[in-house]
Amino acid sequence: MAMPDLKWSGSEKKIARRAFEAALESTLAGIMTEFKAMAAAAATPSEMWAVEDYLRRRRREVDELFDYRYSQLILVFARLIREGRLDEARLAGLSKDKLEMIRHVLSPMR
Amino acid sequence: MAMPDLKWSGSEKKIARRAFEAALESTLAGIMTEFKAMAAAAATPSEMWAVEDYLRRRRREVDELFDYRYSQLILVFARLIREGRLDEARLAGLSKDKLEMIRHVLSPMR
């Protein structure tokens, strides 16, 4: 999906960066918790290799999802909100057009 | 390195299989111990991803090293002995030519 070439003001960049970092941190914390539990419970080689598989999948997802390019940020924020990784309230202060675009991406009618 | 086409008797196959399985089990147990310690100590995302890297490297090594084809077994046993993963005494009962080949591979003059 192509996004128009949006302008991000300095204060918007700060808001976006903070929201992005908070979502990334909480996603990584969730992975860490699951990883620790799997690792502690692993009793066989195949359970150990399952931890490797788990980490590899999660790492790839994180790398794909957390793409901080301004050209991608509307879509990234919409996806983070949809997946429950970001509270939309954290984006307060972004311009009205950006918030509307995010809501549009999120709208069930699409 | 090409190995001559050796014949393995039934009792040799049993000895080889048991030695191979014992070395594999102890290798996996060593990886498990290291993995558990790394996982328990991991406190940051980068330490968590380091566990993934560790497991991927070890899994590849295990897959490459533990190759139970009779055409490879002399070399596999020599390498397991050299790496301290197999006690040569476990191979007692293999034919003299096989033990000599293994020692030949192991000899520092090669």
Side-chain angles (χ1 to χ4, degrees):
Chain A
M1 179 175 172
M3 281 284 143
D5 194 14
L6 298 166
K7 299 266 173 267
W8 295 76
S9 71
S11 77
E12 283 185 313
K13 286 181 180 181
K14 262 190 206 162
I15 291 163
R17 177 57 82 177
R18 252 184 243 139
F20 183 92
E21 293 296 340
L24 176 57
E25 245 181 62
S26 98
T27 296
L28 289 173
I31 296 170
M32 179 72 90
T33 300
E34 176 74 11
F35 156 67
K36 291 268 191 182
M38 285 181 81
T44 64
S46 73
E47 286 164 356
M48 176 169 70
W49 304 136
V51 175
E52 186 209 336
D53 296 337
Y54 170 80
L55 289 174
R56 190 177 52 246
R57 279 197 310 275
R58 290 293 95 81
R59 177 144 60 161
R60 197 182 309 130
E61 284 168 13
V62 167
D63 286 348
E64 280 170 14
L65 178 52
F66 288 90
D67 180 358
Y68 195 87
R69 284 177 295 168
Y70 291 109
S71 62
Q72 300 302 309
L73 223 38
I74 295 293
L75 295 171
V76 169
F77 283 147
R79 196 170 152 198
L80 291 174
I81 292 167
R82 190 193 300 129
E83 295 182 4
R85 301 177 192 280
L86 177 64
D87 182 350
E88 194 182 326
R90 282 196 163 269
L91 299 179
L94 295 189
S95 67
K96 203 166 160 248
D97 61 332
K98 293 190 187 70
L99 292 173
E100 272 170 9
M101 269 184 232
I102 291 169
R103 280 181 207 124
H104 179 72
V105 173
L106 281 171
S107 101
M109 295 301 293
R110 287 185 68 245
Chain B
M1 180 175 171
M3 280 285 142
D5 195 14
L6 298 166
K7 299 269 173 265
W8 295 75
S9 71
S11 75
E12 284 185 313
K13 287 180 179 180
K14 263 189 206 161
I15 290 163
R17 176 58 81 176
R18 251 184 243 139
F20 182 93
E21 294 296 339
L24 176 56
E25 246 181 61
S26 97
T27 296
L28 290 172
I31 297 170
M32 178 72 89
T33 299
E34 177 74 11
F35 155 68
K36 291 267 190 181
M38 284 180 83
T44 63
S46 73
E47 286 165 355
M48 176 169 70
W49 305 135
V51 176
E52 186 208 338
D53 295 337
Y54 170 79
L55 288 174
R56 189 177 52 246
R57 279 197 310 276
R58 291 291 96 81
R59 178 143 59 162
R60 197 184 307 132
E61 284 169 11
V62 166
D63 286 347
E64 280 170 12
L65 179 53
F66 288 89
D67 179 358
Y68 195 87
R69 286 177 294 170
Y70 291 110
S71 62
Q72 300 301 311
L73 224 36
I74 296 293
L75 295 172
V76 170
F77 283 147
R79 196 170 151 197
L80 291 174
I81 291 166
R82 191 193 301 129
E83 295 182 3
R85 301 177 192 280
L86 177 64
D87 182 349
E88 195 183 325
R90 281 199 163 265
L91 299 179
L94 296 189
S95 67
K96 203 167 160 250
D97 61 331
K98 293 189 187 70
L99 292 174
E100 273 170 7
M101 269 184 231
I102 291 169
R103 280 182 207 123
H104 178 71
V105 173
L106 281 170
S107 101
M109 293 303 292
R110 287 185 69 245

